[in-house]
Amino acid sequence: QMPTIGVDFKIRTIEVDTKDVRLQIWDTAGQERFKTITSAYYKGSQGIIVTYDITDRTSFTQVIEWMNEVEKNADCLMAKMLIGNKKDLDSQREVSYEEGKELADTYNIKFMETSAKESLNVEESFIAMAKDIKDQVSLLTRPQDSRRSRKLTGKTNKIEKDSKNRCC
């Protein structure tokens, strides 16, 4: 189980389709004081998981702020995932599964609920992220797709939300 106090940094290698994917994981625990630091790390990153506590409505509403930071600072093609954590505390839930899924759908990203305490879907979420990153890298580095890669890199898919255009 990863600590969530301060900035925690881990390296993890996961095998996906017989290929090793090396994950460099930064955990800021959503603390406001790390926003200036984390914005620099979005550049060049290939994936991000934004996590909220299903027993804390405030942490869920802050997802929008964090996604705004991601969209402002990250590559549009970055793999993204939304995680609702503390599934083991279902009886104290303040955010429904449907609300989390709807928000993830708004951003066109994957959604999963986990329990770090019970190790429920934690490994699966990292494997899903690693697979998305591997697939993205494979798509962008295939020689026969070099023209397409250049087009994809410059392309932005936009969704309309709160009267703002947002990337991806």
Side-chain angles (χ1 to χ4, degrees), residues 43-69:
K43 305 280 188 220
S45 294
Q46 295 171 314
I48 187 164
I49 298 175
V50 175
T51 305
Y52 67 92
D53 176 346
I54 69 166
T55 69
D56 181 1
R57 168 109 6 225
T58 302
S59 75
F60 179 70
T61 59
Q62 290 172 342
V63 166
I64 295 170
E65 293 174 41
W66 282 102
M67 289 304 295
N68 287 339
E69 286 295 308

Side-chain angles (χ1 to χ4, degrees), residues 4 29-31 50-66 82-97 99-100 103 111 113-114:
T4 56
Q31 296 177 49
V50 175
T51 305
Y52 67 92
D53 176 346
I54 69 166
T55 69
D56 181 1
R57 168 109 6 225
T58 302
S59 75
F60 179 70
T61 59
Q62 290 172 342
V63 166
I64 295 170
E65 293 174 41
W66 282 102
L82 178 63
I83 299 287
N85 192 31
K86 297 193 180 180
K87 176 91 171 106
D88 55 293
L89 299 177
D90 227 0
S91 64
Q92 298 170 38
R93 179 186 287 273
E94 292 183 6
V95 181
S96 72
Y97 175 89
E99 288 175 284
L103 184 58
F111 174 69
E113 287 191 339
T114 64

